[in-house]
Amino acid sequence: MTMNAPGGEAPPKLLVEGLCKRYGATTALDPTSLAVREGEFLTLLGPSGSGKTTLLQLICGLVDATEGRVVIDGRDQSRMPVHQRDIGLVFQHYALFPHLTVAENIAFPLKMRGRPSAEVAKRVDAALGMVHLGHLAARFPRELSGGQQQRVALARCFVYQPSIILMDEPLGALDKKLREHMQIEIKRLHRESGATIVYVTHDQEEALALSDRICLMNHARIEQLGSPREIYERPRTAFAADFIGISNIFRGTFATGASRIETPHGSFALPSDATPVGEGGALVVRPEHLRLGAADGGHVTGIVAEIVYAGSETRVIATLSEGATVTLRLQQGETVPELGQQIVAGWPRDKAVLVS
Ligand SMILES: Nc1ncnc2c1ncn2[C@@H]1O[C@H](COP(=O)(O)OP(=O)(O)OP(=O)(O)O)[C@@H](O)[C@H]1O
Ligand SMILES: [Mg+2]
């Protein structure tokens, strides 16, 4: 059996086997298999409608699968109702109880589970401390900012220590600055709790910042599953290269076994480890590997259309023929060309990646 658990020895915390969901003629999720190891932070990343929420809902049992199984700690839980699974949920629209204070909101899941009041008080205190909200325990949700409400929702989930936590775009409603702050909070909560987290976002930067592995989804199926570095450095498809980070993508044709790809922008060397199969594909070159001047991988000629100064680097966008553009990322100290100037930009052969 080929499973995706890194290391592969310990049984996965969460195993999804051939899980699939159809709504009439719509396939929300094609049969999907995936293993998440204990304590892992796995992010489902993908465009709108790619099946992320559906997969999360199937894992927690909010939605019944058309086919497939959900196995947690080695036990098939496919038929188990939501509240009996050892799973915590945090959604984008964190529905706090408006008539309960912050402390009462956080105590709620513990009281539901009939925990003694001394334990409830202790755990609520600890959870409040974890999200730095001790001073606001007596406030009502309407008296809090969006970020504070979101932290209450996180505390309410972490407080009863579920071993798996599912989060569906929990930071979607927050502005960029607060989102970045909360990402650090979530990372810390993950580290301190040791929980296994499956996190949904369509923000690639968020996915890169948080995840042990990213499960990239597209059209109701997994496009690529791997560490952020693997997906960034070794994308398997043009979609993956385009979705994560900035990419220069040159589509073209080749013969099976060839060493070059013929594109509208030139004939380029395929990287030495590429195995060209079929009639064509695309060459991906990340902006940091493009340099002014020709190189052994290939080069393109373009006109500088935009220069974006970003402190530690300068991004240069040049227009090629037929409206295509390339992006270069120049480091401090490198000569930056002028707007409207014609440039040649090349890359080392083995910095390019061949994708389908
Ligand atoms: N209850 C439903 N009935 C019919 N189709 C549905 C239902 N729920 C989801 N779908 C369809 O299934 C597909 C996947 O939806 P899903 O909500 O999983 O996407 P998503 O990746 O979470 O997207 P987003 O980023 O917009 O939240 C979409 O095409 C959606 O329209
Ligand atoms: Mg969704």
Side-chain angles (χ1 to χ4, degrees):
M1 192 161 59
T2 55
M3 273 304 154
N4 300 310
E9 317 82 14
K13 177 75 189 171
L14 167 68
L15 186 63
V16 163
E17 281 184 331
L19 211 53
C20 152
K21 183 66 188 178
R22 284 186 285 271
Y23 293 101
T26 307
T27 299
L29 188 71
D30 271 331
T32 293
S33 298
L34 145 90
V36 188
R37 70 176 153 73
E38 173 111 54
E40 182 169 21
F41 197 118
L42 180 91
T43 297
L44 308 179
L45 173 70
S48 185
S50 56
K52 307 181 296 294
T53 296
T54 302
L55 178 50
L56 220 58
Q57 288 172 329
L58 291 169
I59 291 172
C60 69
L62 278 171
V63 158
D64 286 329
T66 307
E67 284 163 32
R69 306 199 304 152
V70 177
V71 180
I72 297 174
D73 290 325
R75 288 204 316 269
D76 188 340
Q77 304 209 349
S78 312
R79 299 278 161 266
M80 194 181 275
V82 186
H83 62 275
Q84 284 177 17
R85 301 187 190 190
D86 178 22
I87 291 181
L89 301 169
V90 184
F91 291 120
Q92 174 170 4
H93 301 288
Y94 33 89
L96 299 177
F97 302 112
H99 58 289
L100 298 183
T101 64
V102 166
E104 288 164 350
N105 262 283
I106 297 173
F108 187 81
L110 296 172
K111 289 191 170 157
M112 280 266 297
R113 287 168 174 76
R115 299 289 166 76
S117 48
E119 184 197 331
V120 172
K122 216 171 106 197
R123 286 233 218 154
V124 169
D125 260 1
L128 279 166
M130 237 159 85
V131 295
H132 305 300
L133 284 179
H135 59 300
L136 301 180
R139 291 232 191 135
F140 288 92
R142 63 171 182 278
E143 299 167 331
L144 302 177
S145 73
Q148 289 165 341
Q149 291 183 41
Q150 187 62 65
R151 269 142 73 192
V152 177
L154 287 174
R156 193 176 58 178
C157 176
F158 278 92
V159 75
Y160 64 99
Q161 301 174 332
S163 63
I164 299 180
I165 296 177
L166 308 180
M167 302 194 196
D168 195 349
E169 310 232 12
L171 309 182
L174 307 180
D175 66 46
K176 186 169 161 58
K177 187 131 192 183
L178 198 48
R179 216 161 55 220
E180 283 169 357
H181 174 73
M182 290 301 298
Q183 285 169 11
I184 295 168
E185 299 275 298
I186 288 175
K187 240 181 136 95
R188 184 174 56 83
L189 287 172
H190 172 240
R191 203 172 46 239
E192 287 172 4
S193 67
T196 305
I197 296 185
V198 183
Y199 188 95
V200 168
T201 183
H202 56 246
D203 178 341
Q204 52 112 358
E205 278 178 38
E206 190 162 296
L208 289 171
L210 289 173
S211 321
D212 294 317
R213 285 190 303 161
I214 294 175
C215 177
L216 183 62
M217 302 197 55
N218 189 24
H219 295 312
R221 46 176 202 82
I222 297 177
E223 180 92 9
Q224 188 168 357
L225 177 65
S227 68
R229 179 185 289 269
E230 270 162 15
I231 298 190
Y232 186 80
E233 292 182 0
R234 312 295 309 170
R236 280 208 291 267
T237 60
F239 173 84
D242 196 35
F243 204 84
I244 299 202
I246 300 173
S247 288
N248 298 300
I249 301 178
F250 305 109
R251 291 204 160 279
T253 56
F254 48 65
T256 295
S259 62
R260 300 188 75 78
I261 181 169
E262 311 305 324
T263 84
H265 306 290
S267 168
F268 306 140
L270 291 174
S272 44
D273 63 354
T275 40
V277 177
E279 298 176 343
L283 203 64
V284 173
V285 184
R286 295 291 185 185
E288 56 271 29
H289 298 315
L290 266 180
R291 284 289 162 273
L292 293 175
D296 67 346
H299 69 268
V300 292
T301 305
I303 304 291
V304 175
E306 199 118 37
I307 298 172
V308 183
Y309 175 73
S312 61
E313 62 176 42
T314 300
R315 223 172 286 159
V316 174
I317 299 165
T319 315
L320 311 181
S321 56
E322 292 159 24
T325 61
V326 289
T327 303
L328 293 75
R329 203 174 273 164
L330 301 178
Q331 300 302 308
Q332 250 168 0
E334 283 187 85
T335 310
V336 178
E338 313 239 321
L339 219 52
Q341 188 184 329
Q342 178 172 315
I343 57 164
V344 169
W347 59 90
R349 177 182 180 193
D350 285 332
K351 292 296 185 187
V353 182
L354 178 65
V355 300
S356 57

